[in-house]
Amino acid sequence: DRKKLHTAPVRQVFRLRPFHVLVATGGGYAGYRKYEDYKLEQLEKTGIEVPVKLASEWEVALYKSVPTRLLSRAWGRLNQVELPTWLRKPVYSLYIWTFGVNMKEAAVEDLHHYRNLSEFFRRKLKPQARPVCSLHSVISPSDGKILNFGQVKNCEVEQVKGVTYSLESFLGPHICAEKLHFSQAPTSNSFQQQLVTKEGNELYHCVIYLAPGDYHCFHSPTDWRVSHRRHFPGSLMSVNPGVARWIKELFCHNERVVLTGDWKHGFFSLTAVGATNVGSIRIYFDQDLHTNSPSYSKGSYNDFSFVSNNNKEGIPMRKGEHLGEFNLGSTIVLIFEAPKDFKFQLKAGQKIRFGEALGSL
């Protein structure tokens, strides 16, 4: 009475395609790196200085093989699924506990109000929760952690201490002064010096990392005019401090939106850098911007000018005004021109909130 079992050949059951192998290998390696990042964070908390160990080309290639763009789009769709009312509080409470979210600052504290994760991530704050500092000329555009700041030297910018990236690779080719309506700029072969429009000024930078539990909107850090937008499609690797310490020119690999213009001291730029599960970068006044598009062309970028015959001033932004938002958390990079006596009011690694002082003259 035995029944015959019909089984497919082993080679058909366990048929592995190159894509599956690539995803499994890359995903496993990414998980391993996350564990290494966690160990480094624990060492930093004890005050032990961690030596810089950069990733090799094959390690970067392996990490980039993980389909983070596809996963981020899938995560974005999942975030927009409306949750049943009874499930909202348990889900959001778990997120709040995991990432230390302070819901007392939220404009709406009732967790049942947020229909999906996307609405919860993009929650607004009470007006009094983030007072804007009026005594300093440049404020923090967002909540986050200060990864690095200081003068730009030799066309290189530090993403974290000891790890740099190319200023030109990050911002892309220089836009002529006439298009940006800057003052007369000295002619120079140095990309860094081309950005400095006034004699005696220096170029400064500041990197702010937004953790998943932070407030995800970002605001104007000063009074300035936005003249141009440059969108770089790219990878969506993690930008947490551990990865930023490990991958050189991480911010140049990732998708980013560069806003450039001018303030009272010359050149000013704000760049929103995308990351894993943060493929969506929104600029409120730029309806033509679409990030993490499936039609991704490696190494490309697209430009858009806000200066036209009808609008020769660009987009005026006031200090503290709403500028844009991430769908989770990522990184803001400020690169701007200022006189030599500009001083940052910061310490590397410190937590900062939107509206607090970054620096002043």
Side-chain angles (χ1 to χ4, degrees):
D1 295 331
R2 293 180 182 176
K3 295 182 180 179
K4 293 183 179 180
L5 297 177
H6 297 276
T7 58
V10 175
R11 64 178 179 272
Q12 293 183 11
V13 176
F14 296 101
R15 181 179 296 171
L16 293 176
R17 297 179 181 179
F19 175 75
H20 298 155
V21 174
L22 200 61
V23 171
T25 306
Y29 191 74
Y32 166 75
R33 287 306 314 173
K34 286 285 187 181
Y35 174 67
E36 290 293 310
D37 296 340
Y38 171 77
K39 291 198 300 183
L40 289 177
E41 289 179 3
Q42 297 307 306
L43 289 174
E44 284 184 340
K45 289 180 180 179
T46 61
I48 299 175
E49 187 172 347
V50 180
V52 175
K53 183 181 179 182
L54 294 177
S56 62
E57 290 185 8
W58 72 265
E59 287 178 307
V60 176
L62 184 59
Y63 189 6
K64 292 175 73 173
S65 71
V66 180
T68 50
R69 296 178 62 82
L70 178 62
L71 292 173
S72 296
R73 286 195 293 272
W75 176 254
R77 291 188 179 184
L78 179 63
N79 286 351
Q80 294 173 5
V81 174
E82 185 169 343
L83 296 176
T85 305
W86 62 269
L87 188 59
R88 294 174 187 177
K89 188 171 183 179
V91 170
Y92 301 148
S93 296
L94 177 61
Y95 187 92
I96 290 169
W97 176 79
T98 303
F99 297 108
V101 178
N102 184 2
M103 285 302 294
K104 292 183 178 180
E105 298 177 332
V108 180
E109 296 185 39
D110 182 11
L111 298 180
H112 296 101
H113 169 80
Y114 303 100
R115 295 173 297 177
N116 51 48
L117 282 166
S118 182
E119 286 189 1
F120 178 72
F121 292 148
R122 295 181 287 107
R123 64 192 178 277
K124 297 297 185 289
L125 300 181
K126 294 173 182 175
Q128 67 273 20
R130 296 290 187 276
V132 176
C133 177
S134 59
L135 300 178
H136 294 79
S137 54
V138 184
I139 62 168
S140 176
S142 66
D143 289 6
K145 178 182 180 181
I146 301 296
L147 294 190
N148 217 303
F149 63 92
Q151 284 190 17
V152 177
K153 297 179 180 179
N154 302 319
C155 293
E156 292 281 325
V157 186
E158 280 194 320
Q159 58 191 30
V160 294
K161 185 178 180 180
V163 182
T164 63
Y165 57 94
S166 163
L167 178 65
E168 186 169 6
S169 297
F170 181 70
L171 296 179
H174 178 56
I175 306 165
C176 66
E178 289 76 12
K179 288 185 179 180
L180 288 179
H181 291 256
F182 288 165
S183 56
Q184 294 182 354
T187 58
S188 171
N189 293 327
S190 166
F191 180 82
Q192 177 178 335
Q193 291 176 338
Q194 288 176 18
L195 299 180
V196 178
T197 65
K198 297 179 180 180
E199 187 175 355
N201 281 0
E202 297 288 346
L203 208 60
Y204 298 86
H205 74 98
C206 182
V207 184
I208 305 170
Y209 167 68
L210 288 74
D214 287 328
Y215 168 56
H216 299 134
C217 296
F218 50 93
H219 301 245
S220 176
T222 191
D223 296 333
W224 64 307
R225 294 180 301 166
V226 183
S227 303
H228 186 269
R229 179 257 290 161
R230 176 169 285 162
H231 172 216
F232 291 85
S235 301
L236 288 173
M237 295 184 284
S238 171
V239 293
N240 72 54
V243 178
R245 187 185 297 107
W246 179 55
I247 297 180
K248 183 178 175 62
E249 299 204 333
L250 172 64
F251 299 154
C252 298
H253 289 294
N254 273 15
E255 181 157 12
R256 59 198 181 278
V257 177
V258 182
L259 300 178
T260 53
D262 62 305
W263 69 319
K264 60 183 178 181
H265 299 297
F267 173 81
F268 199 97
S269 74
L270 180 148
T271 301
V273 183
T276 308
N277 295 336
V278 199
S280 176
I281 302 171
R282 183 182 174 195
I283 304 298
Y284 294 138
F285 57 75
D286 189 354
Q287 301 302 316
D288 296 322
L289 175 65
H290 300 285
T291 57
N292 197 11
S293 170
S295 55
Y296 161 54
S297 180
K298 184 178 181 180
S300 65
Y301 64 85
N302 56 77
D303 288 330
F304 184 85
S305 177
F306 299 110
V307 176
S308 63
N309 292 331
N310 297 327
N311 178 20
K312 296 184 178 180
E313 295 298 320
I315 307 294
M317 297 297 300
R318 304 295 296 175
K319 183 169 67 174
E321 186 177 353
H322 277 85
L323 182 54
E325 63 186 34
F326 294 109
N327 257 358
L328 193 56
S330 193
T331 297
I332 296 287
V333 179
L334 301 179
I335 298 175
F336 57 94
E337 173 185 1
K340 291 182 178 180
D341 56 350
F342 181 87
K343 300 294 183 183
F344 284 102
Q345 311 291 322
L346 303 171
K347 293 181 180 179
Q350 78 171 71
K351 292 288 291 182
I352 198 165
R353 303 202 303 177
F354 155 62
E356 294 180 344
L358 285 185
S360 189
L361 298 171

